[in-house]
Amino acid sequence: AEWPLRPGAHIACKFTEIKGKMDRRSGKVLEEFPKSVKTGDACMAILKPSKPMVVESFKEYAPLGCFAVRDMKQTVAVGVIKRVTKSEASGKPTKSAMKAGKKKVPTATLR
């Protein structure tokens, strides 16, 4: 499995689809839906994380919009996030999320 990295996050992701191979300098699409990409190629791909993760498009918020893909402890790709498709969170909440939900938040009344 590939491991896209965002600072502070190490979450396994799967390349679900390679949308197109493109020219690195101009961004022009050279091939639609290629079977694979090689070293030095640029592409647009869809990644699906195995767990929910916090990311944003690079234009919206640059620190959450770039990533690196690691495989076997080696960086194999780097990139920026062009678009985020948000989905409903599924699965059980983490222990820290459960603790945060139990804490009472003090309320103040203004008169």
Side-chain angles (χ1 to χ4, degrees), residues 32-76:
E32 295 280 339
F33 303 103
K35 295 262 187 225
S36 64
V37 288
K38 296 178 184 168
T39 302
D41 288 345
C43 73
M44 288 286 264
I46 295 177
L47 290 165
K48 183 173 182 178
S50 60
K51 298 191 286 192
M53 63 189 293
V54 178
V55 294
E56 280 295 338
S57 69
F58 189 78
K59 284 184 180 179
E60 290 284 323
Y61 190 66
L64 292 178
C66 38
F67 65 92
V69 180
R70 293 179 56 91
D71 190 28
M72 301 296 288
K73 296 186 179 180
Q74 286 192 325
T75 302
V76 295

Side-chain angles (χ1 to χ4, degrees), residues 5 13-14 20 23 28-29 32 37-38 40 44 54-55 61 69 73 77-78 88 99 105 107 109-111:
L5 299 175
C13 290
K14 184 176 183 176
D23 183 79
K28 182 180 174 184
V29 176
E32 295 280 339
V37 288
K38 296 178 184 168
M44 288 286 264
V54 178
V55 294
Y61 190 66
V69 180
K73 296 186 179 180
V78 292
E88 291 298 318
K99 282 182 183 177
V105 178
T107 58
T109 55
L110 300 173
R111 294 181 190 236

